[in-house]
């Protein structure tokens, strides 16, 4: 089954360059030149992923991404920002509004296809009862047990929820605010620096088996859980 991708890019030449390789990779590409056209496309069909240019003629891509992530019916659609803006501040802004990845122009269509597949893999929902395992670290949601190479790992309930969220969303960078919303909940008021405290406790719990290295600090952005250095 073809997966629908909404490509929002005001440059027709860029859309043409990207659409061909995406279709060859098995995706059904829905094109839009601006946010107005993109909104009309969403009324017809919700895509599996949105490729969103940062600079658009009517509404900026980053502002529309913020709107999409705040609306209940579109908040779970992954978004990859396409932009010529490569500064750290801009990357952080894209992540803060909820973008799932950030591709800086110029990039090859082959790289974009690989990034799309990676985002779809990590954002595809898995059964909440299904155990998750990474390099010998195993979390079982049914028994609420965490083991490392077969040995029990003790941790508090918040660290457990944090680890479960990380293991279900590997390789993605999350800001402190995003972690607060997803792990603590949007109705709870907690200082963002509280996240740092629980990250530190989680690392201590995992340090005995060496799995603390999987919880990585991304300077200027937030945290991610990844086996990649």
């Amino acid at each position: 089954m073809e997966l629908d991708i909404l490509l929002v890019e005001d440059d027709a030449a860029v859309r043409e360059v990207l659409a061909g390789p995406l279709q060859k990779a098995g995706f059904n590409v829905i094109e839009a030149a601006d946010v107005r056209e993109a909104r009309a496309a969403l009324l017809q069909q919700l895509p599996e992923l949105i490729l969103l240019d940062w600079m658009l003629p009517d509404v900026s891509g980053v502002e529309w991404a913020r709107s999409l992530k705040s609306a209940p019916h579109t908040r779970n659609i992954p978004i990859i920002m396409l932009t010529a803006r490569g500064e750290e501040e801009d990357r952080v802004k894209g992540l803060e509004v909820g973008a799932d990845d950030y591709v800086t122009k110029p990039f090859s269509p082959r790289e974009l296809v690989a990034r799309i597949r990676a985002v779809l893999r990590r954002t595809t929902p898995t059964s909440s009862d299904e155990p998750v395992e990474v390099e010998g670290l195993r979390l079982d949601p049914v028994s609420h047990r965490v083991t490392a190479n077969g040995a029990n790992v003790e941790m508090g309930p918040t660290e457990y929820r944090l680890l479960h969220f990380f293991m279900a969303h590997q390789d993605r960078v999350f800001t402190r605010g995003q972690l607060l919303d997803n792990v603590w909940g949007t109705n709870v008021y907690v200082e963002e620096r509280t996240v740092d405290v629980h990250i530190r406790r989680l690392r201590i719990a995992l340090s005995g088996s060496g799995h603390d290295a999987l919880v990585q600090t991304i300077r200027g952005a937030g945290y991610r859980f990844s086996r990649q250095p």
Side-chain angles (χ1 to χ4, degrees):
M1 183 182 68
E2 288 187 337
L3 299 180
D4 292 330
I5 290 183
L6 176 59
L7 171 58
V8 190
E9 163 65 63
D10 62 317
D11 190 324
V14 173
R15 291 202 307 273
E16 184 178 354
V17 167
L18 296 180
L22 290 174
Q23 289 165 350
K24 287 181 181 178
F27 298 110
N28 178 46
V29 181
I30 304 163
E31 298 184 27
D34 52 32
V35 169
R36 181 185 60 81
E37 290 185 8
R39 284 173 175 154
L42 288 180
L43 292 176
Q44 300 298 318
Q45 173 71 34
L46 290 180
E48 273 68 39
L49 182 140
I50 297 174
L51 294 176
L52 181 58
D53 188 36
W54 185 291
M55 301 294 289
L56 292 169
D58 49 355
V59 179
S60 77
V62 71
E63 286 304 318
W64 195 49
R66 189 195 310 276
S67 175
L68 289 169
K69 289 299 185 179
S70 64
H73 66 294
T74 56
R75 65 176 18 148
N76 293 323
I77 302 175
I79 297 173
I80 296 179
M81 300 293 299
L82 309 177
T83 177
R85 305 164 69 105
E87 292 82 2
E88 180 181 284
E89 182 179 345
D90 293 323
R91 291 198 300 271
V92 172
K93 184 181 293 185
L95 292 169
E96 284 180 339
V97 301
D100 296 83
D101 204 351
Y102 188 104
V103 184
T104 304
K105 300 175 183 177
F107 53 83
S108 70
R110 183 178 178 184
E111 176 194 359
L112 182 59
V113 168
R115 300 283 278 271
I116 289 171
R117 286 176 172 158
V119 167
L120 289 173
R121 278 197 303 272
R122 68 180 184 239
T123 57
T124 299
T126 57
S127 169
S128 59
D129 292 339
E130 182 180 343
V132 189
E133 185 167 354
V134 179
E135 294 191 342
L137 181 66
R138 180 182 174 88
L139 183 147
D140 187 337
V142 175
S143 64
H144 270 240
R145 290 182 63 201
V146 177
T147 57
N149 304 318
N152 285 335
V153 178
E154 299 295 332
M155 64 181 64
T158 301
E159 288 70 48
Y160 173 87
R161 294 197 304 272
L162 191 56
L163 179 61
H164 192 186
F165 180 76
F166 272 140
M167 293 183 76
H169 301 84
Q170 297 174 43
D171 298 316
R172 175 177 170 181
V173 179
F174 291 95
T175 65
R176 293 181 180 88
Q178 289 172 329
L179 289 173
L180 284 174
D181 288 346
N182 285 282
V183 177
W184 278 261
T186 56
N187 295 323
V188 178
Y189 177 75
V190 182
E191 291 286 347
E192 285 197 352
R193 291 295 171 180
T194 300
V195 174
D196 299 340
V197 174
H198 290 281
I199 289 285
R200 186 162 59 250
R201 290 176 182 172
L202 177 58
R203 284 174 171 156
I204 291 172
L206 299 176
S207 61
S209 60
H211 288 97
D212 54 310
L214 295 171
V215 182
Q216 302 171 358
T217 300
I218 307 302
R219 186 174 179 181
Y223 296 101
R224 76 176 174 194
F225 186 90
S226 177
R227 69 188 75 191
Q228 302 297 326

